């Protein structure tokens, strides 16, 4: 499967009534940037997407909206008056393209006086596949009706009002008729796309360990708690009979508890442990990362390494002690087999240089202890490992000494170059990764960066999006950073 249409992806976001948005439809391409002045609703658009993604991952409605400042009531558009029963709410939706074709999902959420999903509609293949409606306000359930196309054209049953009905269909639909298989295939497509989102917000103060308490959780979308599986599909590759099973997201819960440091969290506070792992797992990818960091940082960058941190040694002295102990200089330009461990420093590389077949040998690896011993704490310099830049003749420097923009660039570049197996997220494990696209969501993508850094980051995103496995939805202050770059869609909000 090589075309984007065969990998489920959210291609449209609808903000029918959400915060400052009314009747807004945002087409989403492989690389979409939202721009606009303060208060134009850029961050709100990403919040709406994240709520849908969390619901698609099987989370309860309360968990899906818990990070919204001001609570669920803040999602209600200003000026909306309650009805006779004192109810107010918001409406959001999306369209997911994939093997089944375009499938649309729309939700009506009651925020006051009680939080609940009061209406849901799923449409695909020219059919209304699922509708739900609140018929009895005193019951914590909605009445659902889904397409059957058998002896009974529609099946009716209650569903809980705090869950996405689409994600629960596999528990209710048998898949015996053509209509039921279409329902399951469409539900799988939507769930796979929504679960493939990773919210990334690198926080330099947390990465340095100066932001107070360690960022608990931080996973883009914490593990699902509800069953979101699809037992079978209809038509072509959609009918593979593979399930998208829920339960607590594997790996994500561990990452939230600090037990899986090898999966990058949203705040990127465990960056050293992840770099220790990725530098060993894929030399070619790490070389691209080093080349990108070189373009974004001031001064020479000959290597980027995760090294063991020695107790009682801080800052540059720790980096130097580790380098002397291991004899690794982190050269990225050398092409000999001993480049990673013999202190060989070669010529400089650009990101385009390392996309060829010969790039694999030109990468530094983690110092002694490797990924297996990487246990990072709440910052880049705590016990376990730390990340250092090899500045060539200038020596090595811990990355926590970089500026905020450089730190954010490093973290976001790593996210773009990796995938669900490296990030603290909960993708559909039963669907082959080749049939999925990860969507990186980055609010304030260019925050703290100068124009050169932001443009280099967008350029890297363009190259990764061209491969078809990564999509990006971000917000930027300066849309001109995308000028002239192919495949970048900039949507101006509030215009």
């Amino acid at each position: 499967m090589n075309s984007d249409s065969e990998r489920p992806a959210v291609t449209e976001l609808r903000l029918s009534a959400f915060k400052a948005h009314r009747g807004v439809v945002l087409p989403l391409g492989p690389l979409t940037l939202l721009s606009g002045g303060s208060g134009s609703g850029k961050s709100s658009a990403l919040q709406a997407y994240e709520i849908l993604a969390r619901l698609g991952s099987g989370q309860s409605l309360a968990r899906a909206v818990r990070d919204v400042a001001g609570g669920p009531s803040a999602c209600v558009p200003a000026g909306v008056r309650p009805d006779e029963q004192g109810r107010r709410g918001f409406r959001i939706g999306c369209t997911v393209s994939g093997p089944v074709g375009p499938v649309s999902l729309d939700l009506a959420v009651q925020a006051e006086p009680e939080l609940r999903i009061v209406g849901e509609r799923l449409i695909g293949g020219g059919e209304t596949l699922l509708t739900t409606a609140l018929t009895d306000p005193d019951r914590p359930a909605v009445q659902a009706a889904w397409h059957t196309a058998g002896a009974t054209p529609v099946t009716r049953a209650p569903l809980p009002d705090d869950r996405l009905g689409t994600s629960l269909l596999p528990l209710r639909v048998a898949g015996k008729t053509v209509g039921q298989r279409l329902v399951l295939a469409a539900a799988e497509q939507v769930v796979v796309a929504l679960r493939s989102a990773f919210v990334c917000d690198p926080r330099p103060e947390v990465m340095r360990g100066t932001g107070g308490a360690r960022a608990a959780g931080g996973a883009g979308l914490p593990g699902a708690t509800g069953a979101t599986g699809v037992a079978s599909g209809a038509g072509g590759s959609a009918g593979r009979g593979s399930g998208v099973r829920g339960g607590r997201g594997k790996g994500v819960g561990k990452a939230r508890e600090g037990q899986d440091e090898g999966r990058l969290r949203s705040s990127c506070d465990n960056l050293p442990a992840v770099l220790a792992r990725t530098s060993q797992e894929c030399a070619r990818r790490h070389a691209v990362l080093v080349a990108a960091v070189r373009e974004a940082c001031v001064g020479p960058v000959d290597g980027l390494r995760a090294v063991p941190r020695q107790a009682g040694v801080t800052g540059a002295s720790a980096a130097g002690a580790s380098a002397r102990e291991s004899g690794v200089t982190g050269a990225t330009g050398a092409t000999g087999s001993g480049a990673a461990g013999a202190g060989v420093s070669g010529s400089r590389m650009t990101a385009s240089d390392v996309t060829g077949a010969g790039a694999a040998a030109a990468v530094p690896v983690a110092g002694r202890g490797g990924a297996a011993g990487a246990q990072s704490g709440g910052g880049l310099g705590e016990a376990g490992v730390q990340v250092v830049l090899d500045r060539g003749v200038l020596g090595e420097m811990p990355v926590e000494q970089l500026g905020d923009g450089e730190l954010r660039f490093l973290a976001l570049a790593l996210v773009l170059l990796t995938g669900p197996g490296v990030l603290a997220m909960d993708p559909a494990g039963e669907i082959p990764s080749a049939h999925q696209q990860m969507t990186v969501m980055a609010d304030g993508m260019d925050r703290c960066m100068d124009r050169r850094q932001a443009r280099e980051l967008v350029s890297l995103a363009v190259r990764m999006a061209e491969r078809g496995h990564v999509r990006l939805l971000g917000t930027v202050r300066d849309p001109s950073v995308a000028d002239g770059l192919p495949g970048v869609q900039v949507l101006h909000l509030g215009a």
Side-chain angles (χ1 to χ4, degrees):
M1 302 176 74
N2 296 316
S3 68
D4 289 343
S5 63
E6 292 178 315
R7 299 190 184 102
V10 177
T11 53
E12 183 178 272
L13 179 64
R14 290 184 292 279
L15 308 173
S16 303
F18 185 80
K19 290 195 169 184
H21 299 287
R22 287 179 179 270
V24 173
V25 178
L26 301 176
L28 304 182
L31 209 170
T32 303
L33 300 178
L34 307 180
S35 71
S38 178
S40 61
K42 303 185 298 296
S43 298
S44 297
L46 265 66
Q47 274 188 337
Y49 191 128
E50 184 177 354
I51 290 172
L52 290 170
R54 288 176 177 268
L55 290 170
S57 293
Q59 293 185 25
S60 68
L61 178 60
R63 289 190 64 196
V65 301
R66 68 181 180 182
D67 292 335
V68 177
S73 297
C75 298
V76 180
V80 172
R81 295 185 177 183
D83 63 10
E84 297 80 7
Q85 287 76 39
R87 298 175 298 187
R88 297 198 313 153
F90 59 91
R91 290 181 290 127
I92 55 178
C94 66
T95 296
V96 176
S97 298
V100 182
V103 178
S104 66
L105 170 69
D106 290 282
L107 295 179
V109 178
Q110 175 185 302
E112 300 171 354
E114 182 182 1
L115 182 63
R116 64 202 313 182
I117 297 175
V118 296
E120 179 177 348
R121 182 176 59 201
L122 185 71
I123 298 176
E127 301 283 352
T128 298
L129 304 177
L130 170 70
T131 59
T132 71
L134 181 66
T135 57
D136 185 354
D138 295 328
R139 296 183 59 195
V142 291
Q143 186 66 27
W146 57 83
H147 182 61
T148 304
T152 303
V154 174
T155 301
R156 301 181 188 277
L159 292 177
D161 65 359
D162 67 338
R163 304 279 173 171
L164 184 69
T166 297
S167 68
L168 299 175
L169 287 175
L171 302 176
R172 298 298 188 100
V173 181
K176 294 181 178 180
T177 69
V178 173
Q180 289 176 338
R181 289 191 289 271
L182 176 60
V183 169
L184 291 174
E188 177 184 87
Q189 181 167 298
V190 170
V191 168
V192 168
L194 292 178
R195 285 177 64 172
S196 299
F198 180 74
V199 179
C200 186
D201 182 21
R203 297 167 55 191
E205 72 281 4
V206 175
M207 296 169 69
R208 295 189 181 100
T210 60
R214 174 176 170 173
L221 297 172
T225 57
T228 58
V230 172
S232 62
S237 60
R240 293 186 297 274
S242 56
V244 184
R245 298 299 173 190
R248 192 174 181 88
K250 57 182 178 181
V252 181
K254 290 183 179 179
R256 187 155 59 252
E257 297 165 6
Q259 297 175 0
D260 189 357
E261 294 291 346
R263 288 163 64 90
L264 188 67
R265 294 188 284 265
S266 176
S267 63
C268 301
D269 61 303
N270 60 335
L271 182 71
V274 177
L275 270 175
R277 170 188 169 188
T278 58
S279 62
Q280 291 186 339
E281 288 182 345
C282 185
R284 187 172 181 176
R285 176 177 59 194
H286 190 75
V288 177
L289 175 64
V290 172
V293 172
R294 178 180 301 121
E295 296 299 320
C297 289
V298 176
V301 176
D302 290 343
L304 176 67
R305 301 185 299 120
V307 300
R309 177 167 178 81
Q310 298 183 358
V313 184
T314 60
S317 60
S322 176
R324 289 192 299 272
E325 181 181 297
S326 62
V328 179
T329 62
T332 60
T335 57
S337 59
V344 180
S345 178
S347 58
R348 288 167 59 87
M349 270 188 178
T350 64
S352 59
D353 293 331
V354 296
T355 58
V363 186
V365 298
R368 261 184 288 178
Q375 292 296 323
S376 163
L380 298 181
E382 290 193 8
V385 293
Q386 69 173 166
V387 181
V388 297
L389 284 182
D390 182 352
R391 295 286 199 174
V393 297
L394 300 180
E396 291 182 332
M397 182 182 77
V399 296
E400 59 261 33
Q401 296 179 14
L402 292 174
D404 286 359
E406 294 171 317
L407 266 182
R408 283 182 55 83
F409 179 95
L410 169 60
L412 285 165
L414 178 62
V415 169
L416 290 171
L417 287 166
T418 57
V422 178
L423 306 175
M425 59 184 295
D426 182 32
E430 293 80 3
I431 305 298
S433 59
H435 297 165
Q436 300 185 49
Q437 288 188 96
M438 178 181 72
T439 297
V440 176
M441 299 167 59
D443 190 17
M445 179 175 166
D446 58 348
R447 188 185 312 138
C448 304
M449 298 184 196
D450 59 32
R451 189 179 186 281
R452 174 182 57 86
Q453 293 167 335
R455 185 171 179 83
E456 179 63 27
L457 185 62
V458 176
S459 298
L460 177 62
V462 168
R463 296 197 297 273
M464 299 311 298
E466 287 175 348
R467 302 185 179 186
H469 291 280
V470 177
R471 296 169 68 89
L472 173 67
L473 174 60
T475 69
V476 293
R477 296 168 302 170
D478 179 11
S480 70
V481 298
D483 288 351
L485 295 178
V488 182
Q489 175 183 236
V490 178
L491 303 180
H492 301 275
L493 303 185

